[in-house]
């Protein structure tokens, strides 16, 4: 390997999820070949994002403003709060453009194995938000994993004393999915929650 | 998707080889979670590399100095030049630490389909270097692809009039490789080039 500067970039790139040492070197070569078009803009965009992007103190989303643009947007329904595990899930739901309420990012899931307890997640702030008079529904959109569902149950318990109605995402056959490839749990849930036509 | 700064980083990351839109978003979330430990250093390392790293005017390698540290190193054998397609191949050979001569990076391979002709590659400069009195051997280390071998043949032809001996890397069974998984061409070459014990 050549110069220290190159080494440093390769070592840092290799720490990104989805990149290893080999793909980090390939990425570095690509960056060097597109120095003005890609490398310099990426360096500037990273520095600018590191300076300007902050965590929304209301919902935990990332944005350049605090409260984030979703929390500030008067067109978003303030009566619904959708609870997700991390900011990537906010992005996924925003891409689907299926939800017009506001979000709450827990920042992870309860996990006895990893030693993550309720105090490590943004759950107290959710309970406080849910107590506001204009909030009527909390939608638990945790991942359909064991830890995700455990966390959803815990949050539902915590909200049991409040006036909000608590719901969760539907389980079922993914759109475009084939039955033969689905696991038993999904098929069972899809059958249980069948809808009349 | 959220703020413009985040969008810009994700879009630029998605243009790296090996990353698509989804993995670029994952990388961005990871960067935001390790802002001080990873994002800021990466931005600085990229900016610093973009400023300081240049192409060696002798061999085409990347380094912060020109001529590069390999071309400048008096301990490297000046009689041997190893010709490779791109800088990644220099890194690969340097990792193997099997070659103590100097390099020449063509910057690609001849390709009629992609419209890459000899004038698009650093071949004239190689012929000029090979004409120097202290150079005795040119080792063609192009990839074992059709275009790589075509390029190697073309370079060998160009060097036919000079005093240097021209060689190429051996074909054969990769170390640790199993015969059953090798293609016919490799097996044929390995048999032809068998070595007596």
């Amino acid at each position: 390997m050549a110069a220290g500067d190159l080494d440093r970039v390769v070592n840092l790139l290799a720490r990104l999820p989805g990149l290893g040492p080999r793909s980090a070197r390939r990425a570095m070569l690509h960056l060097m070949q597109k120095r003005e078009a890609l490398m310099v803009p990426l360096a500037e965009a990273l520095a600018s994002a590191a300076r300007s992007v902050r965590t929304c103190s209301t919902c935990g989303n990332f944005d350049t403003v605090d409260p984030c643009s979703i929390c500030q947007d008067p067109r978003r329904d303030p009566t619904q709060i959708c609870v997700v595990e991390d900011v990537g899930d906010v992005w996924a739901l925003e891409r689907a453009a299926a939800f017009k309420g506001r979000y709450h990012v827990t920042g992870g899931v309860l996990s006895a194995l990893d030693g993550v307890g309720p105090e490590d997640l943004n759950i107290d702030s959710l309970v406080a938000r849910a107590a506001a008079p204009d909030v009527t529904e909390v939608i638990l959109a945790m991942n359909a994993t064991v830890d995700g569902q455990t966390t959803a149950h815990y949050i539902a318990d915590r909200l049991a004393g409040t006036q909000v109605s608590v719901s969760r995402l539907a389980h079922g056959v993914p759109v475009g999915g084939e039955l033969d490839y689905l696991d038993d749990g999904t098929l069972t849930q899809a059958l249980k929650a069948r809808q009349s036509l």
Side-chain angles (χ1 to χ4, degrees), chain A:
Chain A
M1 178 66 67
D5 273 334
L6 286 173
D7 263 346
R8 254 176 71 217
V9 174
V10 170
N11 290 338
L12 290 165
L13 283 176
R15 287 168 54 192
L16 294 180
L19 287 180
R22 181 178 295 270
S23 45
R25 285 193 294 269
R26 273 182 59 215
M28 182 66 208
L29 287 173
H30 188 79
L31 285 165
M32 287 296 301
Q33 276 150 15
K34 313 219 163 184
R35 204 182 304 204
E36 293 310 316
L38 186 53
M39 195 174 189
V40 174
L42 180 58
E44 283 165 3
L46 278 170
S48 161
R51 267 194 313 273
S52 69
V53 176
R54 58 213 66 207
T55 302
C56 173
S57 55
T58 306
C59 74
N61 190 12
F62 290 142
D63 206 333
T64 48
V65 288
D66 180 17
C68 74
S69 45
I70 294 176
C71 285
Q72 280 188 14
D73 188 343
R75 289 164 305 178
R76 308 285 305 215
D77 184 354
T79 65
Q80 292 186 318
I81 297 177
C82 180
V83 185
V84 293
E85 291 178 21
D86 65 34
V87 175
D89 300 331
V90 173
W91 294 355
L93 285 161
E94 285 297 286
R95 280 199 302 281
F99 180 66
K100 293 294 160 214
R102 293 180 180 170
Y103 294 98
H104 195 89
V105 180
T106 60
V109 286
L110 297 175
S111 167
L113 273 178
D114 296 334
V116 180
E119 65 286 355
D120 301 312
L121 304 177
N122 303 322
I123 292 179
D124 289 343
S125 55
L126 170 66
V127 176
R129 282 181 77 189
D134 50 349
V135 176
T136 58
E137 183 175 9
V138 169
I139 302 164
L140 299 174
M142 328 304 286
N143 288 334
T145 55
V146 171
D147 283 347
Q149 295 308 301
T150 306
T151 311
H153 278 291
Y154 174 83
I155 295 175
D157 280 349
R158 287 285 301 273
L159 294 171
T162 65
Q163 299 299 312
V164 295
S165 64
V166 179
S167 58
R168 66 158 173 79
L169 295 188
H171 290 307
V173 183
V175 176
E178 295 185 40
L179 294 200
D180 197 18
Y181 292 94
L182 286 176
D183 61 297
D184 298 351
T186 304
L187 279 176
T188 308
Q189 290 286 343
L191 253 178
K192 266 195 201 160
R194 66 188 177 278
Q195 296 174 321
S196 57
L197 293 174

